Amino acid sequence: MDRSQTAEREIVAQQQTDQLDHDVLVVGGSGVDTVVRVDSLPVPLADSVSVGPILEWPGHTGGNVALGCRNLGLNVKFLDYLGDDWTGERVRERLARGDVDFEALISPAGTRRAVNLVEKTGRRMSFHDGRDPDDLRMPRDFYLPHLERARHVHLSITNFARFLYDDIEALGVPVSTDLHDWDGLADYHKDFAFRSDLVFLSAAGASERIASVMREILREGRAEAVIATAGAGGSYVMSREGSRTPRPVRATVPPAPVVDSNGAGDAYVCGFLYGRLAGRDVEECARLGAVAGAHACTGKGNEALIGPDELLAA
């Protein structure tokens, strides 16, 4: 590790000793992924299709961000609803194994699930069972003490998380979110898109309209930067202080064969937030995100998490 990287690690370590002892507070988005490997997507219509071993991985987007940030040495607090069921226990066990400080309220609807069809190249199609009732709300006395101790908040796009924005803004805490494959049109995502300081999304959702969607987020919302990930095509960044043309950031070549792209976007967020909390600019953060995302593709589920030494060395 060179001198600048050592200095950066010291900055992060010093910040962790400050009064704001949650580097990242993650809210919402835990669950269990069932991964089914198929020859190609879309899957041919048939009564029965023979596949390889079906695997299950606890994590989901919120859990993956919490695990990834913790593996980078950040102090992480994770709050969510979780079912009192066997899938919920698997989530708790994985987060405990990853040394994530996790507190959960019991969801009457049970733990969220997703079934992901993954082809040989790592491309996937996900069937997401969010299952939270629309009227579910996280009690203010449960989350507020943690907001007050957080340097940064990352909200998953679970419905109840949108109701934390008023308190986040009142406290002046920076907040990020991941809109995943938002097409730029669905109303559900707009609170998250227009009330977050950092907005991540997949370029696949809006396809050829992604540049205009990124511009709309900056124009209509409070975002300082919008980051669109494009898998092997790299990523694109657009910031309030820069031009309104997406600036490309090259993808990083994975250090080993690609096994599974599930969680790569979440890992990208972790690498980006690590750079952000260390004071790096948007392009540098995006490059760290690309490294973390590529590393995540080399293992199953959320098992290939990058550490700070590997991230900075790359």
Side-chain angles (χ1 to χ4, degrees):
M1 182 181 302
D2 64 28
R3 188 175 303 173
S4 63
Q5 292 170 346
T6 301
E8 183 169 300
R9 291 289 299 278
E10 289 174 352
I11 290 171
V12 173
Q14 178 58 47
Q15 289 167 338
Q16 291 174 353
T17 66
D18 293 344
Q19 185 177 0
L20 299 178
D21 54 358
H22 302 328
D23 289 318
V24 181
L25 172 65
V26 180
V27 180
S30 62
V32 172
D33 286 307
T34 299
V35 179
V36 183
R37 300 198 175 277
V38 297
D39 290 334
S40 62
L41 290 173
V43 177
L45 181 63
D47 182 65
S48 178
V49 177
S50 180
V51 298
I54 296 175
L55 304 175
E56 288 191 319
W57 298 96
H60 270 207
T61 183
N64 290 342
V65 170
L67 286 164
C69 285
R70 184 69 191 117
N71 206 65
L72 285 169
L74 300 173
N75 289 330
V76 176
K77 183 75 180 184
F78 185 20
L79 305 177
D80 200 6
Y81 276 95
L82 202 65
D84 184 14
D85 46 30
W86 70 272
T87 45
E89 279 304 308
R90 294 205 63 191
V91 172
R92 291 179 186 275
E93 290 168 2
R94 177 65 184 100
L95 292 169
R97 181 158 58 88
D99 193 32
V100 171
D101 183 0
F102 179 50
E103 288 187 48
L105 299 169
I106 299 300
S107 170
T111 301
R112 305 175 198 95
R113 303 290 302 271
V115 175
N116 302 297
L117 305 184
V118 182
E119 69 170 5
K120 294 176 181 178
T121 64
R123 191 166 65 96
R124 71 166 187 170
M125 181 176 184
S126 181
F127 300 85
H128 182 249
D129 173 10
R131 77 173 56 199
D132 291 336
D134 289 342
D135 61 354
L136 188 66
R137 302 288 183 271
M138 184 169 278
R140 191 168 184 262
D141 61 358
F142 176 71
Y143 68 76
L144 188 60
H146 299 294
L147 279 183
E148 293 171 339
R149 297 162 57 192
R151 294 177 57 207
H152 184 91
V153 179
H154 183 78
L155 295 184
S156 300
I157 55 171
T158 48
N159 188 56
F160 66 79
R162 75 176 74 243
F163 298 98
L164 276 65
Y165 273 110
D166 286 347
D167 284 318
I168 291 171
E169 291 175 9
L171 291 169
V173 184
V175 57
S176 58
T177 194
D178 188 343
L179 306 178
H180 301 287
D181 59 349
W182 186 43
D183 60 3
L185 302 173
D187 288 338
Y188 179 92
H189 300 71
K190 290 183 178 178
D191 281 339
F192 299 95
F194 300 147
R195 301 189 71 179
S196 297
D197 300 291
L198 293 175
V199 177
F200 299 88
L201 74 165
S202 168
S207 189
E208 69 278 358
R209 296 186 297 106
I210 188 61
S212 64
V213 170
M214 295 172 76
R215 282 191 285 268
E216 182 185 9
I217 292 171
L218 289 173
R219 183 179 66 250
E220 301 296 333
R222 56 174 290 166
E224 298 174 17
V226 183
I227 304 95
T229 56
S235 58
Y236 299 89
V237 299
M238 191 182 293
S239 55
R240 186 167 296 278
E241 301 303 322
S243 80
R244 290 300 188 263
T245 300
R247 303 188 296 279
V249 176
R250 288 188 301 176
T252 297
V253 177
V258 172
V259 173
D260 185 0
S261 65
N262 283 291
D266 301 324
Y268 184 106
V269 170
C270 296
F272 191 104
L273 293 182
Y274 183 91
R276 181 76 167 187
L277 291 169
R280 294 196 177 203
D281 65 29
V282 172
E283 278 80 4
E284 290 174 326
C285 292
R287 284 190 283 272
L288 291 177
V291 171
H295 193 279
C297 292
T298 64
K300 297 176 181 178
N302 52 29
E303 294 298 325
L305 300 175
I306 197 168
D309 292 342
E310 296 169 292
L311 182 70
L312 296 177

